[in-house]
Amino acid sequence: MKYLHLKPTGLLKSLLLMLLFSTLTNVSKANEIDGKRFVTLCIMIRTTPWEVSRDVKLHPRDEGNWHTLEGVQALRTAFAKNNPDGRLTWGFTMNALEDQRENYKQIRDYVVACQQKYGDEVTYFPGYFPAMYLPRERVNREMSEAIQLISGMVGKGYRPQSVIGGFLAADNLRYLAEKENIHAAHAVIWSQHNIDGGGADGSPSYPFYPSAEHFCKPAQGKEDFIDCVNLDGWTMDFICARRSGQNGHQITGYNSRRGVGPIETYKGWGLELGHREVMHTQSIHFDKGVELNGFGWVTNIWEAQMVHEFGQEFICKAMEMWVTDTKKRWPDVQFVSFGEFGTMWREKHRSGNDWNYRFVERGSGLGDSYNNLEIKWFMNKEFRLALQRDWHIKGSPTYVIDFTRYDLKAKEPADPSPGRPVKDWSLINVMNQKGLRPQDKPKLLNELDAADQRLIRKYYPQLFEKQKQ
C-alpha cells in the first residue's frame, strides 16, 4: 500500500498549532482546580434589605446612608491586607446600580477601579429571592438589563462571568447560559429552609450542572442538562445545617445557616468564638475535604451595610481575621471570584457525570455544632446521602438522616408574583435532614427500601460492609 505524503502548508501548520494550543490550554485550565483550595467571596451592595427588583422590596428600611465609599474601601482594604493577590466578586442589586445618590456613584466608581486594578468581578445580585417573588421571564429580562448596565459601567467590553442570584429557577440558569453566555451562577443557598422567610433544601453543596426539571437537582443526561454551573453562596457547618430555621444568632440558640457567614458567627458569637467556628467549618473542606474530593472550596457573602449596622472597626477586624488566618493555616488557598471558580470547575467537569463529593465533620463543640456528633455526606449525580452517629459512644449505630434521590422526577413550583410568592423551593423526596416529616425519622442503611439500597451500593458498597462489622 502506498501512502500519500502531504507537505504541510503554512496555513495547515498554523491550524495545527492553534489546535494544539487550544488543547493544552483546556488541559491546563482543567488542572487548575486539582489539589487546590479556593475561597469565593461576594460583597453585596444594595439600597434596602431583601431587594428583589426595582419596585419589589421586602423590607422598608432605606440603607442609603449605610453604604459609604469609606466603608466599602475599608472592607476591601481589610480583605487585601494579608492577601494582596486576592480577588472577589462585587454584587449590585438593580437599585444599587441605578441609584443616583452621590455615595452610590462613588461606590460604583471605586468598584470599577478595583476591577481594573485587582481583577475583581462586578456582577448583578437580584437580592436573595427572585425565584420566590418574580415570574421567570421577568427575572430573565432584568438579569439582561443589569448585565448591560454593568458592561456600560465598567467599560472596555467587560462582562461578568457569573451572576449572584440567591435562588434562581432552572429556566433562569438556562437563560444565562444560552442567551447571556454566562456559565456560572450562585443560584442556591445550601440547606436553607425557613430562613428569611423561605428556602430550597435538597441540592449538593458543591458545584454541579443543574437539571431543567429543578435548580436543586443535578442534570441526569443531555436531555435535562443546563450548561450553567450552580454554586452555593455560604459554606455551612453540616451539623448546624440539619435543622430547619433558626432562633437567633447567639451561641445559646440554634441557626441552621451557621458556618462561615459573618452574621451567624462573628456578630452572633463575638470575634473569638465566631472565628473558631469559621475556621472549624473551613477545615472540613481544606483538610480532609481536599483528600476526599481532590480540591477544597469555601464560599461566602458579606453585605456592605454591615459596616454601618455592626460597626466598621468590628466588621473590618472580622474580615481581616478571617482572611489572614485562612492564608496562614492554608498558605496555598486562592481567593478568586465566583466567575473564575465556576469556570475552572466547568473546564474540569465538562459532562457533569464525573463528580463525587464526600465530607466528614465532627462538631466544633461550640453552640449547636455538637462535638459528640459525626456526620458524613456523600453527593453525586444520582443522590445525596447523609450518615450520622454519636462517636463519643463506642458501638453507636450509624443512621441515615438524609437520602435525596436525583434520579427521580422533580418539578419546580409555578411562577410566583410579588403578591403571591412561593417561598419553599426545596427538593425533598425519600428522606430529608430537617426531619419535618414522619418518613424523615433516622434509620439504619439496611432499613431503607431495597431499591434505595441498590442505588447506594452502586457508589459506596463499603458502607454496607462497615455496617456488618
Side-chain angles (χ1 to χ4, degrees):
M1 179 182 291
K2 293 184 178 180
Y3 294 90
L4 180 62
H5 295 278
L6 293 175
K7 185 176 181 179
T9 65
L11 177 60
L12 182 57
K13 283 182 178 179
S14 298
L15 290 173
L16 289 172
L17 286 172
M18 288 173 62
L19 179 62
L20 177 61
F21 177 77
S22 176
T23 301
L24 291 174
T25 300
N26 287 336
V27 170
S28 174
K29 286 182 178 179
N31 290 336
E32 285 179 0
I33 205 167
D34 291 342
K36 297 186 175 71
R37 297 171 174 88
F38 301 93
V39 175
T40 50
L41 168 66
C42 175
I43 295 180
M44 180 187 184
I45 312 294
R46 67 194 192 193
T47 63
T48 66
W50 301 348
E51 291 178 49
V52 178
S53 182
R54 293 180 178 94
D55 61 331
V56 183
K57 304 175 182 181
L58 310 182
H59 194 293
R61 182 175 71 204
D62 182 357
E63 293 180 345
N65 293 331
W66 293 25
H67 289 75
T68 65
L69 177 60
E70 178 190 0
V72 170
Q73 286 177 323
L75 262 184
R76 185 62 175 77
T77 299
F79 169 80
K81 183 175 181 181
N82 295 297
N83 179 36
D85 298 325
R87 295 176 297 282
L88 56 81
T89 296
W90 298 92
F92 284 83
T93 64
M94 185 71 81
N95 288 309
L97 284 172
E98 296 180 327
D99 198 301
Q100 293 305 303
R101 285 176 284 189
E102 192 61 30
N103 53 322
Y104 281 102
K105 291 180 181 179
Q106 292 173 345
I107 290 170
R108 291 194 293 267
D109 288 343
Y110 174 71
V111 167
V112 170
C114 287
Q115 193 283 320
Q116 295 170 352
K117 182 176 182 179
Y118 305 113
D120 289 354
E121 180 176 35
V122 187
T123 193
Y124 179 45
F125 196 144
Y128 295 118
F129 314 114
M132 300 181 192
Y133 289 88
L134 300 179
R136 291 163 174 81
E137 186 279 330
R138 180 172 173 180
V139 174
N140 291 341
R141 172 165 40 86
E142 293 186 359
M143 287 194 298
S144 288
E145 290 178 28
I147 291 166
Q148 186 174 359
L149 286 171
I150 290 165
S151 294
M153 180 176 80
V154 179
K156 299 180 180 180
Y158 175 83
R159 285 179 60 82
Q161 290 181 289
S162 71
V163 163
I164 308 298
F167 296 108
L168 292 173
D171 182 73
N172 304 138
L173 293 169
R174 180 163 48 196
Y175 180 88
L176 283 174
E178 296 178 0
K179 302 298 183 182
E180 292 293 345
N181 197 30
I182 290 177
H183 298 282
H186 156 47
V188 71
I189 304 173
W190 189 79
S191 88
Q192 178 157 323
H193 189 273
N194 196 26
I195 293 274
D196 293 339
D201 190 21
S203 72
S205 62
Y206 264 26
F208 65 97
Y209 290 109
S211 167
E213 294 178 7
H214 197 295
F215 70 91
C216 288
K217 173 179 174 172
Q220 299 299 293
K222 293 181 179 180
E223 297 77 15
D224 68 332
F225 182 89
I226 297 176
D227 188 11
C228 186
V229 181
N230 198 346
L231 301 173
D232 183 22
W234 281 276
T235 297
M236 310 294 184
D237 181 317
F238 290 119
I239 302 289
C240 300
R242 299 166 305 130
R243 302 176 75 169
S244 174
Q246 53 92 14
N247 66 359
H249 302 311
Q250 301 303 314
I251 199 165
T252 52
Y254 77 89
N255 193 310
S256 63
R257 208 168 69 182
R258 199 177 326 273
V260 300
I263 295 176
E264 296 84 3
T265 52
Y266 293 112
K267 177 61 176 68
W269 292 1
L271 288 176
E272 182 182 350
L273 291 181
H275 189 59
R276 283 172 58 185
E277 173 63 15
V278 169
M279 296 300 286
H280 162 78
T281 302
Q282 294 192 134
S283 71
I284 301 166
H285 303 271
F286 289 161
D287 291 340
K288 186 68 172 178
V290 172
E291 176 188 334
L292 292 173
N293 300 311
F295 73 98
W297 173 50
V298 167
T299 184
N300 209 344
I301 297 175
W302 286 48
E303 293 142 347
Q305 58 83 22
M306 293 190 299
V307 171
H308 174 92
E309 186 174 8
F310 306 135
Q312 180 172 310
E313 182 180 355
F314 176 84
I315 284 298
C316 290
K317 180 62 176 177
M319 174 72 82
E320 183 182 330
M321 286 177 66
W322 169 47
V323 176
T324 299
D325 283 1
T326 299
K327 295 287 287 187
K328 185 183 296 184
R329 182 165 171 181
W330 301 284
D332 65 330
V333 74
Q334 300 176 48
F335 283 78
V336 298
S337 71
F338 277 77
E340 286 180 271
F341 179 72
T343 298
M344 283 188 283
W345 188 91
R346 181 170 174 258
E347 292 291 344
K348 174 72 175 178
H349 301 277
R350 280 295 189 177
S351 69
N353 295 323
D354 56 350
W355 54 272
N356 188 345
Y357 303 133
R358 291 169 291 164
F359 307 96
V360 180
E361 178 192 1
R362 289 179 176 178
S364 68
L366 298 169
D368 47 331
S369 182
Y370 306 118
N371 67 354
N372 66 307
L373 294 182
E374 177 187 76
I375 191 168
K376 294 184 178 181
W377 272 101
F378 305 83
M379 304 178 187
N380 57 68
K381 186 182 84 168
E382 294 193 76
F383 63 87
R384 74 176 197 180
L385 169 72
L387 304 178
Q388 178 182 291
R389 72 183 180 107
D390 186 338
W391 69 279
H392 282 189
I393 301 175
K394 187 176 181 180
S396 176
T398 297
Y399 291 102
V400 178
I401 63 167
D402 191 288
F403 185 53
T404 304
R405 290 184 57 166
Y406 300 133
D407 62 329
L408 303 178
K409 284 289 184 182
K411 186 178 181 181
E412 292 181 348
D415 269 347
S417 67
R420 297 175 64 88
V422 178
K423 296 188 177 183
D424 191 355
W425 287 63
S426 296
L427 175 59
I428 296 176
N429 46 50
V430 181
M431 289 181 66
N432 182 263
Q433 62 174 333
K434 306 299 185 185
L436 300 175
R437 308 169 302 167
Q439 61 264 46
D440 295 331
K441 183 179 178 181
K443 60 182 66 174
L444 300 174
L445 269 172
N446 60 17
E447 293 176 334
L448 295 175
D449 290 347
D452 295 338
Q453 292 188 49
R454 283 195 297 273
L455 184 57
I456 296 170
R457 284 181 188 275
K458 174 181 171 182
Y459 284 86
Y460 315 110
Q462 71 277 12
L463 296 179
F464 293 88
E465 294 301 319
K466 288 181 180 180
Q467 196 172 49
K468 293 178 183 178
Q469 296 174 359

